[in-house]
Structure formats: C-alpha cells, structure tokens
Amino acid sequence: MSDRLRPLLVVAAALVLVLGVVPAVLGALDRSYLYQVANLALIFVLLAASMHLVTGVAGLLQLGHAAFYGIGAYTAALLATEAGLTFGWTLPLSGLSAAFVAVLVALPTMRLVSIYFAVATLGIGQMIYLVMLNWVPVTKGPNGILVTSGLELFGYDLSASAPAYFVVAIITLVSLWVIHRLSHSYYGNALRALREDDQCADAMGLDTVRLKIESFAVSGFFAGIAGALWAHTAGYISPADFAFPQSILILAMVVVGGLGSLPGAVIGALILILLPEVLRPVGDFRNIIVGGVLFFSILLMPKGIIGEVSALDLVRRQLGGAWRGEGTKAGPEVGWR
Amino acid sequence: MDYYLQQLAIGLSLGMVYALMAIGFTLIFGVLNVVNFAHGEVYTIGAFAGLVVITAFAPPLFVVLLIVVAVGALAGVGLERIAFKPFRRFSDEASLKSRAMREATLMSSLAVSIIVREAIEIGFGSQFQTVPLDRLLNKPISLGPVTIVSGDVIIFVVAALMLGGLQYVLKRTNVGLSIRAVSSNPLGAKYVGINTDRTIIWTFAVGSMMGAAAGILVGLYYGAIFPSMGFIPGIKAFVAMVMGGLSSIPGAVICALILGFSESIATIFVPSVWADMVAYGFLIVTLIFFPRGIFGGARDRV
C-alpha cells in the first residue's frame, strides 16, 4: 500500500510546489528577476534530466551537452527571427534539429568507450561552439541574437512573466515524465545494462550501438527543447551561453545529484542554480563553488545525493565476493517501481 | 613561397609547444591510465608564475624558466595529491583497471581545474595580463629569405633541450626506470619493490615541468597571458596524445608537430579563428579511423 502511495504523494507534492506554491510566491513578490531565475532553474532541470538519460542511465560520459542546448536555442532563435515562426513551431523543430545533430554525432562516436567517448563529445561540442561563434553571417557571432518574438502558443500571447513561467514549468514537467517513463522501463533497464557492462549486454543480445544512438538522440531532443525555452524566455542568446563551462555545469548537476537517478539530477540542478543565487554576495566565487561542489561530491559522496551507481560500488562488484559481506548491498535495485 | 616558409617556422614552434604539453599527458596516462584534465591549468600556472617573477625581479629568461619549471613541478605534485591520490585508495588490479575509477579521477581533475582557473581569475582578473614589452620574444631574426622572431628559436631550443633531458631521465636514471616500469605494469612494478606512489609523484612533477615551461614560453611569445589560456592547448595536446597512440612519447611528439604544422598552414587558407577546427577534426578522424593511434601499439578497446 504505502509502496504504491509514496511515489504518488511525492509527485503530487512536486506538482503542487511547481504549479502552486512557487508561482504564488513569485506572484506575491512580483519581481521579473525572480521569474527569470525560476525559468533558468527549470530549464537546467530539463538539461540535467536529459543528460541523466545518457550519462546516468546509459553510462556514457558526455562532455559536450551544452552544444545540443545551443543548437536548440539557435534553431529557435533563427526560426523566430528569420522565418517568423511562432513558439508552437520553433519548440518541436529545435528539439528535432538537436536530435538530428545528436544522431549525426552519435553514429561515428558510439563505438568508443569511456574517456574516448568523453573526449570525442568534448571535441564535437567545441566544434559546434566554434561554428556558433565564428559563422557570423548566420549566427551573428559573438554578438548573439535578440529574440523579439515571445511565447506565443495557439494564438495566445504568453510572454508576460507568470504565463511564461507556467509554459516553461509544464513543458519541463511533461519532459521529466517522459524521461522518467523511459528510464524506468525495460528500455531503461537495457540502458542500465549498457552502463554496467556493455560487452556483456551485447552478448545478451542487446543492440548496444542502436540503444546508445537512441538514448543520445532522445537526450539531444530534450536539450534542444531546453534551448528553445531559453531562447524564448531570455530573449537573447550568445555563444557564451553554450560553451564548455555550461557542459561541465550540467555534468556537475548530474554527478552531485547522483548518477542514474532522475530526482537526483533534478535536485542537483536546483542546488547548482539556486545556490549561487542565494550566495549572491560572493558572486565572483560562483564557479569556484561549482567546482568545489563537484570535487567534494565525487570525493565524499561517490553516489551523489540519491544516486544508484557509485564509482566504488562498481569497483567492489568487480572484486567479487570478498567485499560482499560488509553489510552494503552489492548491486542497485532497478526495475519497475 | 617565403610566406609559406614563415608559416612553417611558426608551425614548428607551435608544434613544439603542443609536444611539451602532450608529453605531460602521455607520461601521466602511461603511469596511471587516466587523463589529467587539469594539465591545461598547469600551463596557465606556469605562465602566471613566470609573469609574477618577471614583474617582481626582472631576472634573465633562463632564471625565469628555472623558477617556472620548479613551480610547475610543485603544482603537479599538489594536483596529484588533491585530485588523484584520494581515488587510489584501492591499489589492486581490479580497481586499477576499473572504468569507474578512471572516470572519477577524470571528473575530480576537471573539478580541480575549474577551481584553479577561477581562483586565478579572482586573483588576477579575467582579462589579458600586460607583459613588459622588452620581455616579449618577438625580436625579428632574418634567416635567408625568411624572417622569424626570436621566440621561434627560443621555443625550439628550450623544447628540444627538455625533450632530450626527458629522454635522458627516462632511459638513464632510476626514476625514469621506475616510471617506465610502472607504466608498463603497475602491479608488477609494485611486486618487484618499486614505490609506485613516489613514482607517480615523480611522473606528475616531470610532466608538469614541461607543461609549465610551455605556458611561460607561449605567454611571452604571444604576449597573451590570461586565466583560461590553458584550455585550448590542453585539448590540442590531448589530441596529439590520442593520435600518437596514448602511451608513446615519440608518437605524441611527432603528432604534436603535425598538428602545429597543419594549424599554421590552415591559417593560410581560412581565417585564423577557424584554425582550432583542425585539431578537433584530427581528433574525431583519429578516434574513428585509427582508434589505436597512428603510432600506437596494442591497446584495450577504445
């Protein structure tokens, strides 16, 4: 009974918080800056969740995630400013274009493992960043693009602070639900099998390369969606928003929250976006805090806040029975929950 | 024609700098089997240490280099203690080969590199530092039809000396012997009584010396010293290491030179802002078509 009830309660509490309490507080304070922070936090929750699918569940260390975020944002901004499309069109199109690029990236790199894959994604992320920075005729280069068309959905203008917050929140929640269903299903378990031992998963009959490409494409799609949300809510994008430090920030969120746990990725994103806001007096130290949080969470909490896989656990499992008797459970429990 | 020769000279000094950086990567990868993501920050630390020394005492270049190399060695040792040592709690074979441990150190070195870069930025500001004009290595030297600057010569000479010194250390000293032993078989080296922990510290010291020297040489050559200067050369050196086959030092040096030449030649045909694409393109092509590296021997799956 309680096993079935508790997830429902958690979901209900999260919904009330995101769609009820936060907008109420924001409405009471009524400062557009706070709406910006709330939107940014939700967008990074979505980014962390999309990276969670690739890095946490499928175990592919990704160092270029911000590039897909950037592709989504640039697609949305260019479609909105050059082609005059509204948000209803730019949102899915930017997701699809990011997914398309993700498949292109994944096709050659998916046969690489661990650090080789990480570095290949780093290189490709840098290439995409260079294109955004230097292809001036299209992307306007370092000057960035001013997105004048706001959130217009089905003919309604939702650009005011409160409606925009609801649009971002609902899209983020729906995306989270999709990612949750993906990662807590037989499909998600297949991805976890890749993470634990991809040679073994291959031997068991899983099409590992195809699974990796699919998870990469889905992750790219949601990063692209996040990019479109950012382009339309912030109203201005520039290449610096999608550079390497952003990739690391997203990675830090997933690692701090706990690899392989969707709530962990969400909490990690909230911590790393809201902590620097809370610590505004020490503004300059913002990135040091990100680095420090990343370092100490790897050192002291290899599992993250609520992760399901840790560096040390993987080592212990490889050592076999000798470590088993120490009270800790050897393997994580995954499956239908 | 002269212009092309000039670009080749620039490419040579660029390649030598990448080679110095790549050696640090290669040595550390050989011994620990992990990628040191903070190597670019050692380069930055070298440049800033040199700048501080120059503005404070204005000693001759040779003394500056000695101090920078010492600072680099210290930075390397500190880096190893902070970002790598805590993750070597288990020294058995399984954890030495564990992918998870490798990725943990990858991320911890990444975290340390962020902290170091931001700390430098807070200390010195994020803009370009002003290098005293008379210390810049840009006195023109005419060499037949080609005009190169003194920096090209100095970088070449210093890098060649350091490469020679490295070869001496690796082949003729006990430290070098133990480094080679640990990189060929860490567990076996431990069984024959080599102090692997000390060897790893030595490796970081030697590798970081080269990285720091590269940092100050480039800083004085271009007159551009800033906190995030180490990121791009770090990636390029990593590309050179991957192309060279990960644990082959001659391979890394040759590939670093290839990279330097192709970049300086690329700037003839495309605007220089696109030159970085060459390195990333090389990286992707190498990983896809030569996953063992061009000069690499046998290796685990990549």
Side-chain angles (χ1 to χ4, degrees), chain A residues 59 61 108 113 116 119 199 323, chain B residues 90 99 106 238 246 301-302:
Chain A
L61 188 59
V113 295
Y116 302 96
V119 172
Q199 279 172 320
W323 291 77
Chain B
F90 309 104
R99 192 186 112 205
L106 181 77
F238 183 84
L246 283 179
R301 318 162 55 215
V302 288

Side-chain angles (χ1 to χ4, degrees), chain B residues 5-287:
Chain B
L5 282 176
Q6 209 145 328
Q7 287 295 323
L8 281 184
I10 293 173
L12 182 65
S13 50
L14 205 59
M16 279 302 206
V17 168
Y18 294 157
L20 284 181
M21 287 283 284
I23 284 170
F25 268 127
T26 311
L27 281 175
I28 292 166
F29 189 89
V31 167
L32 276 181
N33 226 354
V34 298
V35 175
N36 173 14
F37 248 89
H39 198 59
E41 268 49 51
V42 171
Y43 173 93
T44 316
I45 288 175
F48 272 87
L51 186 68
V52 167
V53 170
I54 285 175
T55 44
F57 310 109
L61 184 64
F62 179 67
V63 180
V64 174
L65 271 178
L66 280 185
I67 296 173
V68 164
V69 162
V71 170
L74 269 182
V77 173
L79 174 70
E80 196 275 334
R81 291 286 99 175
I82 293 169
F84 290 85
K85 170 76 180 153
F87 299 95
R88 276 193 277 118
R89 277 170 283 189
F90 309 104
S91 56
D92 47 86
E93 197 160 9
S95 38
L96 286 177
K97 287 185 175 162
S98 157
R99 192 186 112 205
M101 292 306 269
R102 265 190 247 171
E103 287 177 359
T105 47
L106 181 77
M107 286 195 273
S108 73
S109 64
L110 207 55
V112 169
S113 87
I114 294 172
I115 296 171
V116 169
R117 183 165 65 235
E118 295 298 326
I120 293 176
E121 197 166 319
I122 289 170
F124 291 87
S126 62
Q127 68 280 43
F128 282 27
Q129 304 294 309
T130 42
V131 183
L133 277 181
D134 56 321
R135 305 310 296 259
L136 286 177
L137 304 173
N138 58 1
K139 291 164 200 68
I141 300 174
S142 292
L143 213 92
V146 196
T147 309
I148 55 175
V149 294
S150 57
D152 291 323
V153 179
I154 292 174
I155 287 180
F156 182 80
V157 170
V158 171
L161 281 178
M162 291 192 89
L163 294 185
L166 176 76
Q167 213 55 23
Y168 176 80
V169 167
L170 283 182
K171 294 281 156 70
R172 293 270 182 274
T173 62
N174 278 334
V175 169
L177 187 66
S178 60
I179 289 177
R180 285 189 293 144
V182 173
S183 55
S184 106
N185 186 345
L187 213 58
K190 199 170 184 145
Y191 287 157
V192 296
I194 291 172
N195 187 340
T196 45
D197 204 44
R198 187 175 297 164
T199 307
I200 290 168
I201 293 177
W202 270 110
T203 314
F204 269 83
V206 172
S208 303
M209 279 178 189
M210 305 228 156
I216 185 62
L217 287 174
V218 170
L220 294 181
Y221 182 67
Y222 290 113
I225 296 182
F226 53 100
S228 51
M229 66 187 285
F231 177 59
I232 299 287
I235 293 182
K236 305 254 173 83
F238 183 84
V239 174
M241 173 181 104
V242 172
M243 282 170 71
L246 283 179
S247 43
S248 151
I249 288 178
V253 171
I254 291 169
C255 290
L257 289 175
I258 293 175
L259 212 56
F261 281 131
S262 41
E263 252 175 51
S264 67
I265 290 169
T267 53
I268 300 175
F269 303 106
V270 295
S272 61
V273 285
W274 292 103
D276 285 348
M277 277 294 203
V278 174
Y280 303 133
F282 267 124
L283 173 70
I284 307 299
V285 168
T286 313
L287 282 175

